[in-house]
Amino acid sequence: MVVEDAEEVDGPNVRVMKFKDGSREVLVRTPDNKKITKTRKLNDEVIMVTRYTMDENGNPLGCKIYDGQKQELFKVSYGYHKVTGLLERELMFDARVKRIDKDTGKETPIQIIAYIYDAEGKRSAPIVYNLLPGKKFEDVFGIKSSELGENPFKDGN
């Protein structure tokens, strides 16, 4: 992945990343740092858009994932450790079919992604629990998680 100079695109609120497969991601944040939109393109065709809502520390609280035709596919909530603030869990829900747990009456996720940390705070690879048969998120989108990764705007610029 290569991060291009954002100044050539739109100043401090834009980052562009190129990947080996030829795809590009354009990340745009709002001036108040409350929202980030990540658009993934391959050959100038939009293949996925993810819209994040951020907390006051720049961490994602949730996101919605859309396909290239602007159809909402998934919604994700992120859970952080109360003391360390480290990301512990992602709950991914199907935006097209609401699945309700018959015992609790609450909506159930289709995928849970968990992270554990070693004593030095280094995060593990994602531990993915896919709760539905069929294709995994990675099979469809080529990435393991919707997680933003290192916030490209975290440096304050």
Side-chain angles (χ1 to χ4, degrees):
M1 167 178 61
V2 175
V3 177
E4 295 179 347
D5 182 8
E7 298 301 323
E8 72 183 55
V9 181
D10 189 29
N13 293 323
V14 176
R15 298 289 186 270
V16 178
M17 292 180 263
K18 292 181 180 180
F19 297 89
K20 291 180 182 179
D21 67 357
S23 65
R24 297 165 40 106
E25 282 184 351
V26 179
L27 294 102
V28 180
R29 71 173 172 186
T30 57
D32 64 3
N33 297 321
K34 298 281 186 189
K35 301 208 181 280
I36 293 177
T37 300
K38 177 172 70 171
T39 303
R40 188 147 188 151
K41 295 181 176 183
L42 181 61
N43 301 325
D44 290 326
E45 181 180 333
V46 175
I47 56 175
M48 184 171 59
V49 175
T50 307
R51 294 197 169 112
Y52 297 90
T53 302
M54 313 299 280
D55 69 12
E56 63 278 351
N57 296 316
N59 297 314
L61 293 171
C63 73
K64 292 188 175 186
I65 302 169
Y66 304 84
D67 65 15
Q69 288 73 48
K70 301 180 183 177
Q71 298 294 313
E72 185 178 343
L73 302 175
F74 305 103
K75 53 189 176 178
V76 180
S77 65
Y78 299 93
Y80 298 89
H81 190 276
K82 289 181 183 180
V83 175
T84 65
L86 297 172
L87 177 64
E88 288 188 322
R89 200 165 305 290
E90 297 177 43
L91 301 177
M92 180 176 283
F93 299 87
D94 188 332
R96 297 161 295 175
V97 178
K98 195 170 193 172
R99 291 171 172 81
I100 305 297
D101 182 301
K102 62 181 167 70
D103 296 325
T104 66
K106 294 183 179 182
E107 186 174 11
T108 60
I110 59 168
Q111 181 168 279
I112 299 171
I113 301 172
Y115 301 96
I116 55 174
Y117 296 83
D118 66 17
E120 295 157 2
K122 186 176 177 185
R123 183 168 72 189
S124 69
I127 302 166
V128 180
Y129 302 92
N130 188 348
L131 305 175
L132 289 178
K135 289 190 176 186
K136 295 180 268 193
F137 184 79
E138 182 177 12
D139 295 337
V140 176
F141 294 109
I143 54 177
K144 290 185 186 284
S145 155
S146 68
E147 197 243 335
L148 191 55
E150 184 79 22
N151 185 335
F153 300 104
K154 197 111 180 164
D155 60 5
N157 293 326

